[in-house]
């Protein structure tokens, strides 16, 4: 206990130092802008609206102390339980039964999850993003934590509608305009409320196009709070960086997230990212048009500022509420329709992230169930492009080689495993000095092949297992931290849906195309005969898209019982296809 007390005091001292220092920020004009328009800005209903001030150093310190006073005891209690079990087994010679141990762990998880959820509810800010990651990883974290933190994905405490309107007026209105000149309708209840911003449904006036839109509004003075929160997480993970019980170098992970977070406060940059990702998905490497696996909102020109973004409205519910929505519609979450949709979701996310990561290296870097939408027409949408990542060309090329090597490997052939390991090291992965020779290959397979049943070197598949290959990682390249986040989201979804899913096998065709040089930036003018073939290919693609859309519309018109039967048949076909693909790889 004395050791734990010394550790806690040391950590709290480090935390105190970090929070007394000023938080660096790129946008120094944020505070002055809101201060200048603070309490006497009239909203559309002529009320005075007071903008919240940025956090003071003392308030940042209080948030830090609140977080640390919860996090450290939770961590210490786990060490205490481990010690208690070992003490009874080794010293008292009275080992607990497996049922007794499981009961203790369940109670420990329940208590830790409750305390963590209460702290995040109190503090909000960047800690919500940590909750989002944990809640989406049912395959890694105890059920008590994923359930307790599942409510933090898309429905935080919203700011008042009057404050939201005041931000819009200060950011978008011209000197001679009123709120009603832009918006014919504006729902005061937000669609969703997140740590940085909240979103409202609205309808534009005819002057601005007259269509239904979503309006994303940044919380005033939120920047200093979030940057202070992530600095706190960086501090605690740095303190535990050399702890052998942690499966990953979380200091590297949160350091990368800290850098990415700074970009989320600029909605102009987000609008550019939305367009860039849309264009990459809608065009094949040869420049021809192609079907987009996901529905992406487009920004509305002329209604974009640093803190307000008006975009297309997606009519649906976030994935975090999809199960609840299915039940309300009378659909059994375990029915063939639901399982078939799960496969569609997995396929759409896999293809979209594969295209972006491998073809251009520019991708959505904040995938979680609150940002993935299930639309009312059955399609899948992706929102919130505030956090994006560009990986360099060399790492992108090496990633392509990794996918091909993983997809074509034979685990009984050492040369194949050596190639996977060699490419993983080329990405910048560093291993512990005493790691097994197969460690690098095992890490690559664990990260990108969720269908693997065993790992080379005798490593275990679970990330938190004592013999996990992830524990052999000395450091992970920051350029690839968010690639890993995307792959882990898809891996977690496949695990929850019970579908063996190999990202490497799904991404390998994209990777081969990129490695063959058929990328957009390398495309040159072609001969006229070639142009003719490309045009014919475009016609074939258009016909396939038309027939697919027609089939989907016909399916939705079927009676519920026929939909269930048809979905069951399609599900069996998809399952056979998955098994056949896995057998071909083996």
């Amino acid at each position: 206990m004395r050791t734990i007390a010394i550790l806690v005091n040391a950590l709290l001292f480090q935390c105190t130092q970090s929070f007394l220092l000023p938080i660096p920020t790129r946008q120094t004009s944020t505070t002055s802008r809101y201060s200048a328009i603070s309490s006497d800005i009239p909203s559309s209903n002529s009320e005075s609206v007071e903008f919240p001030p940025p956090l003071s150093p003392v308030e940042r310190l209080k948030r830090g102390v609140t977080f640390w006073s919860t996090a450290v005891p939770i961590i210490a209690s786990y060490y205490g339980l481990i010690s208690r079990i070992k003490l009874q087994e080794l010293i008292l010679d009275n080992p607990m039964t497996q049922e007794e141990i499981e009961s203790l762990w369940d109670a420990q998880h329940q208590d830790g999850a409750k305390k963590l959820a209460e702290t995040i509810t109190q503090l909000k800010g960047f800690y919500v993003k940590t909750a989002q990651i944990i809640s989406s990883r049912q395959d890694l974290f105890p059920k008590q934590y994923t359930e307790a933190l599942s409510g933090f994905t898309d429905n935080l405490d919203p700011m008042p509608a009057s404050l939201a309107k005041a931000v819009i007026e200060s950011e978008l209105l011209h000197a001679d305009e009123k709120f009603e000149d832009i918006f014919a309708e504006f729902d005061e209840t937000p669609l969703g409320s997140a740590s940085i911003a909240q979103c409202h449904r609205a309808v534009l006036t005819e002057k601005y196009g007259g269509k239904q839109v979503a309006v994303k509004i940044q919380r005033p003075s939120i920047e200093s709070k979030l940057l202070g929160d992530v600095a706190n997480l960086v501090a605690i993970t740095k303190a535990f960086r050399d702890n052998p019980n942690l499966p990953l170098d979380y200091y590297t992970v949160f350091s990368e997230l800290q850098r990415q977070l700074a970009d989320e406060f600029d909605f102009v940059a987000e609008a550019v990212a939305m367009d860039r990702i849309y264009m990459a998905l809608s065009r094949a490497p040869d420049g021809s048009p192609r079907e987009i696996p996901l529905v992406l909102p487009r920004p509305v020109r002329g209604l974009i500022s640093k803190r307000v973004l008006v975009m297309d409205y997606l009519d649906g519910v976030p994935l975090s509420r999809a199960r609840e929505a299915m039940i309300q519609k009378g659909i059994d979450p375990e029915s063939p329709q639901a399982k078939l949709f799960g496969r569609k979701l997995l396929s759409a996310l896999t293809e979209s992230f594969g295209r972006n990561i491998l073809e251009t290296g520019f991708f959505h870097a904040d995938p979680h169930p609150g940002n993935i939408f299930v639309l009312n027409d059955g399609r899948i949408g992706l929102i919130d492009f505030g956090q994006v990542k560009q990986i360099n060309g060399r790492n992108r090329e090496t990633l392509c080689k990794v996918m091909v090597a993983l997809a074509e490997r034979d685990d009984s052939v050492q040369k194949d495993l050596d190639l996977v390991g060699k490419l993983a090291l080329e990405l910048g992965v560093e291993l512990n000095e005493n790691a097994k020779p197969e460690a690098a290959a095992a890490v690559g397979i664990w990260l990108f092949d969720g269908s693997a049943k065993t790992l080379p070197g005798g490593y275990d598949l679970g990330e938190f297992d004592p013999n996990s290959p992830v524990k052999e990682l000395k450091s992970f390249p920051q350029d690839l931290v968010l690639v890993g986040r995307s792959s882990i989201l898809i891996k977690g979804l496949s695990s929850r849906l019970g579908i063996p899913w190999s990202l490497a096998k799904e991404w390998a065709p994209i990777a081969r195309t990129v490695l063959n040089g058929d990328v957009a930036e390398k495309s040159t003018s072609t001969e006229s005969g070639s142009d003719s073939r490309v045009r014919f290919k475009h016609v074939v693609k258009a016909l396939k898209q038309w027939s697919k859309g027609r089939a989907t519309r016909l399916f939705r018109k079927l009676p519920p019982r026929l939909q269930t039967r048809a979905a069951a048949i399609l599900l069996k076909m998809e399952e056979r296809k998955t098994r056949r693909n896995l057998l071909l790889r083996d």
Side-chain angles (χ1 to χ4, degrees):
M1 292 300 295
R2 184 173 182 273
T3 303
I4 293 176
I6 293 173
L7 176 63
V8 171
N9 286 332
L11 293 176
L12 288 174
F13 174 78
Q14 182 178 352
C15 172
T16 301
Q17 298 304 307
S18 66
F19 278 95
L20 286 176
L21 293 174
I23 300 298
T25 170
R26 296 183 314 142
Q27 299 172 11
T28 56
S29 62
T30 305
T31 303
S32 60
R33 166 110 189 199
Y34 284 135
S35 297
I37 58 175
S38 57
S39 60
D40 55 354
I41 282 201
S43 66
S44 56
N45 57 7
S46 302
E47 294 179 352
S48 294
V49 178
E50 183 174 349
F51 282 72
L55 290 183
S56 67
V58 172
E59 289 171 322
R60 290 203 304 267
L61 177 59
K62 287 181 179 178
R63 286 177 65 80
V65 169
T66 301
F67 171 77
W68 283 73
S69 63
T70 301
V72 172
I74 290 175
I75 295 170
S77 65
Y78 275 91
Y79 282 109
L81 179 56
I82 294 170
S83 301
R84 177 184 170 186
I85 295 172
K86 289 182 177 179
L87 176 68
Q88 189 156 342
E89 179 180 353
L90 299 176
I91 299 178
L92 302 179
D93 196 24
N94 182 26
M96 298 179 185
T97 65
Q98 188 62 35
E99 290 76 13
E100 289 174 331
I101 293 174
E102 288 181 1
S103 178
L104 287 173
W105 278 115
D106 285 342
Q108 178 66 46
H109 293 328
Q110 193 70 42
D111 182 63
K114 180 182 177 183
K115 289 178 179 176
L116 186 59
E118 289 173 350
T119 302
I120 294 175
T121 299
Q122 177 184 350
L123 296 176
K124 301 182 177 67
F126 187 80
Y127 302 117
V128 171
K129 288 193 175 291
T130 304
Q132 291 166 351
I133 295 171
I134 294 174
S135 66
S136 67
R137 295 304 311 275
Q138 291 85 356
D139 58 323
L140 294 181
F141 294 98
K143 180 179 69 174
Q144 293 88 339
Y145 280 88
T146 59
E147 289 181 353
L149 303 179
S150 62
F152 291 100
T153 50
D154 60 351
N155 197 21
L156 289 178
D157 185 30
M159 59 180 165
S162 57
L163 179 58
K165 288 182 177 181
V167 175
I168 293 173
E169 290 174 350
S170 68
E171 292 288 326
L172 295 184
L173 267 61
H174 298 303
D176 57 343
E177 280 187 322
K178 297 182 297 183
F179 190 88
E180 294 76 12
D181 293 333
I182 297 179
F183 300 104
E185 296 179 22
F186 186 88
D187 292 351
E188 296 200 348
T189 302
L191 297 166
S193 183
S195 52
I196 290 178
Q198 69 184 44
C199 220
H200 291 255
R201 189 202 73 90
V203 176
L204 297 176
T205 59
E206 290 300 324
K207 176 183 177 182
Y208 285 93
K211 67 177 182 177
Q212 191 173 205
V213 293
V215 186
K216 183 176 180 180
I217 307 150
Q218 187 175 137
R219 296 175 182 268
S221 305
I222 192 63
E223 186 173 0
S224 61
K225 178 187 290 186
L226 293 191
L227 291 177
D229 292 346
V230 74
N232 192 24
L233 291 169
V234 169
I236 194 170
T237 52
K238 185 176 183 180
F240 288 101
R241 191 175 192 183
D242 297 325
N243 190 317
N245 294 305
L246 294 178
L248 278 178
D249 179 7
Y250 289 111
Y251 171 73
T252 300
V253 172
F254 281 111
S255 294
E256 172 64 22
L257 291 176
Q258 184 179 38
R259 275 187 288 275
Q260 291 293 319
L261 181 64
D263 295 330
E264 291 200 52
F265 302 105
D266 187 350
F267 289 176
V268 175
E270 179 174 349
V272 172
M274 291 168 67
D275 274 345
R276 186 175 172 186
I277 289 177
Y278 176 86
M279 294 305 297
L281 289 175
S282 62
R283 294 282 172 180
D286 62 4
S288 62
R290 62 182 175 185
E291 183 180 6
I292 302 177
L294 299 172
V295 179
L296 308 182
R298 306 298 304 279
V300 177
R301 302 301 171 194
L303 295 177
I304 305 166
S305 77
K306 209 164 190 177
R307 297 170 189 89
V308 176
L309 173 58
V310 181
M311 70 195 96
D312 295 339
Y313 173 72
L314 301 189
D315 192 8
V317 296
L319 183 60
S320 55
R321 298 207 301 264
R323 184 181 180 88
E324 176 187 337
M326 281 184 178
I327 294 173
Q328 289 177 350
K329 292 181 179 179
I331 300 174
D332 181 0
E334 301 302 321
S335 66
Q337 295 104 308
K339 292 181 179 180
L340 192 62
F341 174 78
R343 287 181 170 270
K344 176 183 176 181
L345 169 68
L346 206 53
S347 178
L349 291 173
T350 298
E351 185 176 355
S352 297
F353 280 94
R355 288 184 191 178
N356 285 147
I357 291 171
L358 300 179
E359 290 180 354
T360 65
F362 187 77
F363 60 97
H364 188 298
D366 190 22
H368 62 75
N371 285 342
I372 300 166
F373 261 57
V374 179
L375 305 186
N376 290 340
D377 60 5
R379 294 180 298 168
I380 299 157
L382 184 66
I383 65 168
D384 193 354
F385 294 79
Q387 194 172 131
V388 291
K389 177 68 176 176
Q390 175 70 62
I391 59 174
N392 65 54
R394 182 169 183 176
N395 278 341
R396 182 167 59 85
E397 182 178 347
T398 304
L399 267 177
C400 290
K401 293 178 180 178
V402 169
M403 298 308 140
V404 174
L406 284 170
E408 296 179 352
R409 80 183 190 281
D410 182 341
D411 286 346
S412 64
V413 177
Q414 188 60 43
K415 184 174 69 173
D416 289 357
L417 296 178
D418 289 343
L419 176 59
V420 173
K422 175 177 174 291
L423 291 170
L425 294 175
E426 282 185 15
L427 286 172
V429 172
E430 293 185 18
L431 302 173
N432 297 326
E433 293 179 1
N434 59 349
K436 297 178 185 178
E438 302 91 348
V443 169
I445 295 170
W446 173 85
L447 190 57
F448 294 111
D449 189 355
S451 67
K453 297 178 181 178
T454 60
L455 295 177
Y459 288 105
D460 295 333
L461 289 166
E463 182 176 333
F464 290 97
D465 289 341
N467 193 35
S468 170
V470 187
K471 292 196 172 184
E472 300 284 25
L473 286 171
K474 184 178 180 181
S475 69
F476 195 74
Q478 291 186 344
D479 203 26
L480 301 178
V481 164
L482 298 176
V483 173
R485 184 175 178 183
S486 302
S487 69
I488 286 172
L489 167 82
I490 296 171
K491 183 179 177 181
L493 282 174
S494 68
S495 175
R496 186 174 185 180
L497 295 168
I499 303 173
W501 199 258
S502 172
L503 267 180
K505 190 166 186 65
E506 298 295 328
W507 284 358
I510 303 173
R512 292 188 187 101
T513 301
V514 173
L515 292 173
N516 288 335
D518 298 332
V519 291
E521 58 265 31
K522 291 185 179 180
S523 296
T524 55
S525 58
T526 54
E527 297 177 0
S528 57
S530 171
D531 286 343
S532 177
R533 288 194 295 272
V534 170
R535 285 197 294 271
F536 178 73
K537 182 170 68 175
H538 294 175
V539 173
V540 173
K541 284 184 178 179
L543 287 172
K544 285 182 178 179
Q545 293 176 22
W546 175 82
S547 61
K548 184 177 179 181
R550 183 174 175 82
T552 301
R553 289 192 294 273
L554 288 173
F555 177 83
R556 284 201 288 269
K557 291 180 180 179
L558 293 174
R561 291 185 65 182
L562 288 181
Q563 283 189 11
T564 301
R565 291 181 182 179
I569 295 171
L570 291 171
L571 181 61
K572 287 181 180 179
M573 293 172 61
E574 288 293 326
E575 289 173 344
R576 282 198 296 267
K577 180 180 176 182
T578 299
R579 287 195 295 269
R580 185 171 63 249
N581 288 340
L582 293 176
L583 288 173
L584 286 174
R585 198 207 73 184
D586 295 338

